[in-house]
Amino acid sequence: MISVCMATYNGAQYLPAQLSSILSQLKEEDELIISDDGSTDGTLSILRAIDQENVTVYENHFKDPVRNFQFALKRTAKPIICFSDQDDIWLAGKRSVMVKHLAGETARLLVMNGEIIDENGKLSGGTTFEKWRTHQGFWNNLLRNTFMGSSMAFTADLKKWIVPFPANIAMHDWWIGLMAEKAGHVQWTDETTIQYRIHGNNTSLKGSSAAQKLKWRIQMYQSVRQRLHKMNHS
C-alpha cells in the first residue's frame, strides 16, 4: 500500500528515533526504501542492522540529496508514496492519514502539517504550516515555496509526471509540489503527522543571493512548462 523513501547521510544521531517511528507503523504490504549517500559516521551500521523483509537499503555516493531521493523514488512499487528525512519523527497515525486522504480519492498530492522540535526533541510550540506560512496554489509556491517533502505524500501515478527530476531544479519537493498542482488536485490538511526537527544541519536554500533565487524560479517554471508539454504530447 505505502512506499516510504528515506534519504540518509551522516544521520546517526537522530536516525534510530525516526526509524523506530516509521517501522512501528509499517504493515506487511508496505515498504521502506532507504538510499544512503556515502555516510561516514555510524549511519550504515544502523541501517545494516535492520532485519525486516520490507526494508531495502542501498549504498550510494551521489553527494546530492535530490538525486538520492530520486534513486529511492524510482524503486517504489506501492500506490502511495511518501518521503522521509532522517532526523524527524513520525507521529502515531501518519500512515492512516495518508491512506485516508489518498486511497480512492481524487487528490494526487497530500500536504500535511507538523510539529516543530529542536535538536533535543523539545517542542517549540509551533507548526510547520505556521513557520513557513504555508499557502496553496502554483503561482504562490513558485514565488515562495512551502512544499516540504517530509510532510508530503502522493499517488504513484504522479511518478510519470515528475521522474526524472530535471537536472537544474533546486529542491525535489518544490518540483513535485508544483507538478502536482498542474497534474492533479493537491490537498492540504492541518492534521499534524510528523515532528520536524530544526537543527544546524538542515538542508536549506537560505543564504542564497537574490539573483540565484530568481534563477531557480525561472528554471523551475521552464522545467514545469517543458514537462507539461512533453506529457500532453506523448
Side-chain angles (χ1 to χ4, degrees):
M1 174 63 80
I2 291 177
S3 296
V4 183
C5 300
M6 175 184 282
T8 60
Y9 176 70
N10 287 349
Q13 181 177 0
Y14 303 119
L15 183 57
Q18 174 67 313
L19 284 172
S20 177
S21 72
I22 294 173
L23 293 175
S24 66
Q25 296 189 48
L26 288 193
K27 299 184 182 298
E28 289 186 6
E29 65 266 27
D30 301 330
E31 63 180 0
L32 171 58
I33 300 172
I34 305 173
S35 178
D36 185 77
D37 201 9
S39 291
T40 56
D41 64 352
T43 296
L44 286 173
S45 295
I46 295 170
L47 297 179
R48 290 167 183 161
I50 301 173
D51 184 18
Q52 198 161 314
E53 289 188 1
N54 57 353
V55 179
T56 307
V57 177
Y58 296 93
E59 298 179 24
N60 293 303
H61 293 85
F62 297 118
K63 303 304 179 187
D64 181 350
V66 175
R67 292 177 63 196
N68 202 27
F69 270 114
Q70 177 174 247
F71 179 90
L73 174 59
K74 285 182 175 180
R75 283 150 182 83
T76 58
K78 306 299 180 179
I80 296 176
I81 303 167
C82 67
F83 291 134
S84 169
D85 290 338
Q86 64 188 3
D87 43 13
D88 301 330
I89 297 175
W90 278 26
L91 293 174
K94 174 169 180 172
R95 183 189 185 281
S96 298
V97 171
M98 293 187 290
V99 171
K100 176 180 69 174
H101 288 285
L102 291 176
E105 297 295 331
T106 57
R108 269 188 164 151
L109 176 73
L110 174 69
V111 184
M112 298 160 279
N113 204 355
E115 302 172 348
I116 296 176
I117 58 175
D118 65 15
E119 59 185 8
N120 298 313
K122 182 180 179 180
L123 288 169
S124 73
T127 69
T128 55
F129 277 14
E130 293 167 346
K131 181 173 179 60
W132 279 276
R133 291 175 288 128
T134 297
H135 47 222
Q136 303 179 27
F138 176 85
W139 292 107
N140 287 333
N141 280 285
L142 178 65
L143 295 174
R144 185 174 64 81
N145 177 47
T146 60
F147 290 111
M148 192 172 71
S150 58
S151 290
M152 290 163 44
F154 51 95
T155 55
D157 64 341
L158 188 62
K159 283 174 64 176
K160 63 179 180 287
W161 293 83
I162 61 177
V163 176
F165 296 163
N168 59 2
I169 59 171
M171 291 300 292
H172 62 283
D173 45 10
W174 192 10
W175 161 252
I176 293 170
L178 291 178
M179 284 301 300
E181 289 281 2
K182 293 296 187 180
H185 176 61
V186 177
Q187 184 171 345
W188 305 71
T189 177
D190 198 45
E191 295 167 278
T192 54
T193 59
I194 65 166
Q195 290 185 328
Y196 179 80
R197 193 185 304 270
I198 294 182
H199 53 84
N201 296 321
N202 291 102
T203 301
S204 173
L205 300 181
K206 290 182 179 179
S208 305
S209 68
Q212 180 62 70
K213 291 177 180 178
L214 177 60
K215 181 180 179 180
W216 278 327
R217 281 155 178 78
I218 293 172
Q219 290 174 335
M220 185 67 76
Y221 178 66
Q222 291 174 337
S223 294
V224 170
R225 285 193 63 186
Q226 291 168 2
R227 184 61 56 86
L228 290 174
H229 178 79
K230 178 180 179 180
M231 292 300 298
N232 291 329
H233 293 82
S234 61

